Amino acid sequence: MCPVFDEAKKHMTFREAWVGCLLGMLFLIFAIYQESLTDTNIIEIMPIQQFWYGVQQNIRTYGGTLTAFLLAVGLPRLICCEHEYQTDCLIKTSAKGNIVTWQSKVLFTVLYCFVVVFVIGTSSLIINCRLFDFKGALQPVEMCVYFSDSALPPMSNIAYCVLQYLFLFLGALYFAGFALLIAALTRRTALTIFLCGASYLVCVLYEYVGYMFSGVADYVLGFFYRFGFGGYLLQASYSWNSYEGAGEWSDVWKPILLVVTMILLEFSGLWLIWRRKARK
């Protein structure tokens, strides 16, 4: 675990990571504050399931985008720093330098994704659910954002909200793998941040302006959104049966299998690129 701690200490010296965390914290506070602006009288008369339905949408409204921002800003230099600081030659001095360095960077990436999702999820659930004192937390789910009412997840409201953040964690790893691949190819931090941000923006735009497209354009853009990291970060990709509307909970294993496969392929590709670059 020592190499992972070394990567963590190295990450703490990245200026853009600190700036990103500061901006992300301010955005999270603002987003949660906006969610909390609910009249007390409305809270007393609205059905409790309506509030849980609103909590489920926190990822779509700000959680997914904030996660993508923190990953796009905080991870690229993790791969680029040795090349930019001209210390990559030191890795070659050890017989296992390449594999140990790659493993430590991957493990730190997984830890970084977990911390980002944990902080966002914990903050959102605790603060938003306190508005109605966690009423109905243990009641079965009656309404879902992405799943049909005829096939709801067999769990309580709070359990489903926690599960959503586990889904977000998978989406975060998917996007993180993409960011590391781009960083390994470009070896330029600023360029990687720009490409990652632009890629996510293109994916997310389909969520909001997809209705403007039709025919082949709609199919192609919908395909990349549905199977890309944008759809997984915003949870829409877990609704497997339909591009629009609610899917079936019984099919949720299919997008999970797909995203796990893509994550493994990304990190395997990162190793191949890392090893090839190290030989030069």
Side-chain angles (χ1 to χ4, degrees), residues 212-258:
M212 298 174 59
F213 298 95
S214 60
V216 177
D218 180 57
Y219 179 82
V220 172
L221 292 174
F223 177 87
F224 282 105
Y225 173 72
R226 184 184 186 189
F227 298 107
F229 45 77
Y232 277 95
L233 283 168
L234 296 177
Q235 309 282 290
S237 294
Y238 292 101
S239 183
W240 186 264
N241 277 355
S242 174
Y243 283 98
E244 298 178 357
E248 297 294 330
W249 175 254
S250 59
D251 291 324
V252 73
W253 65 271
K254 298 177 182 178
I256 292 177
L257 178 61
L258 174 62

Side-chain angles (χ1 to χ4, degrees), residues 102 181 184 263-275:
W102 175 80
L181 278 175
I263 292 169
L264 293 176
L265 289 175
E266 285 177 332
F267 285 112
S268 298
L270 176 64
W271 164 241
L272 295 176
I273 297 172
W274 180 267
R275 185 175 59 177

Side-chain angles (χ1 to χ4, degrees), residues 89-100:
C89 58
L90 298 177
I91 300 176
K92 304 175 185 178
T93 59
S94 173
K96 297 183 178 180
N98 286 329
I99 184 65
V100 171

Side-chain angles (χ1 to χ4, degrees), residues 11 15-27 66 69-70 73 112 116:
H11 187 266
R15 184 183 304 173
E16 67 276 3
W18 284 101
V19 173
C21 286
L22 177 61
L23 293 176
M25 185 183 302
L26 293 175
F27 178 77
L66 178 56
F69 170 77
L70 292 174
V73 173
Y112 183 79
V116 168

Side-chain angles (χ1 to χ4, degrees), residues 44-241:
E44 294 178 353
I45 62 175
M46 283 186 65
I48 199 64
Q49 288 297 336
Q50 192 69 34
F51 286 104
W52 284 106
Y53 186 75
V55 172
Q56 292 176 22
Q57 300 185 66
N58 288 341
I59 292 177
R60 182 178 180 274
T61 53
Y62 60 84
T65 298
L66 178 56
T67 299
F69 170 77
L70 292 174
L71 298 183
V73 173
L75 289 179
R77 195 178 293 276
L78 186 69
I79 297 296
C80 302
C81 61
E82 284 83 7
H83 177 74
E84 293 179 341
Y85 299 157
Q86 298 182 351
T87 59
D88 48 350
C89 58
L90 298 177
I91 300 176
K92 304 175 185 178
T93 59
S94 173
K96 297 183 178 180
N98 286 329
I99 184 65
V100 171
T101 303
W102 175 80
Q103 289 176 344
S104 62
K105 291 182 183 298
V106 169
L107 289 175
F108 175 79
T109 298
V110 174
L111 179 62
Y112 183 79
C113 291
F114 175 80
V115 171
V116 168
V117 173
F118 180 80
V119 171
I120 295 174
T122 303
S123 303
S124 299
L125 287 177
I126 291 178
I127 296 177
N128 286 319
C129 292
R130 283 192 63 185
L131 293 175
F132 49 93
D133 298 324
F134 286 88
K135 293 179 181 178
L138 300 180
Q139 293 178 5
V141 176
E142 296 181 10
M143 301 172 64
C144 270
V145 178
Y146 293 115
F147 297 103
S148 170
D149 291 343
S150 61
L152 294 170
M155 59 190 69
S156 64
N157 286 308
I158 189 67
Y160 177 65
C161 289
V162 172
L163 181 64
Q164 279 192 301
Y165 284 98
L166 294 178
F167 287 165
L168 178 60
F169 176 64
L170 290 177
L173 289 177
Y174 192 2
F175 184 62
F178 172 78
L180 297 186
L181 278 175
I182 298 298
L185 290 171
T186 64
R187 291 189 171 187
R188 296 290 185 274
T189 300
L191 177 60
T192 303
I193 293 175
F194 172 77
L195 292 176
C196 290
S199 299
Y200 178 76
L201 183 61
V202 170
C203 290
V204 172
L205 281 177
Y206 180 80
E207 172 76 10
Y208 298 100
V209 300
Y211 65 90
M212 298 174 59
F213 298 95
S214 60
V216 177
D218 180 57
Y219 179 82
V220 172
L221 292 174
F223 177 87
F224 282 105
Y225 173 72
R226 184 184 186 189
F227 298 107
F229 45 77
Y232 277 95
L233 283 168
L234 296 177
Q235 309 282 290
S237 294
Y238 292 101
S239 183
W240 186 264
N241 277 355

Side-chain angles (χ1 to χ4, degrees), residues 32-47:
I32 293 178
Y33 174 75
Q34 291 295 316
E35 292 287 329
S36 65
L37 294 179
T38 305
D39 188 10
T40 306
N41 295 327
I42 296 179
I43 295 178
E44 294 178 353
I45 62 175
M46 283 186 65

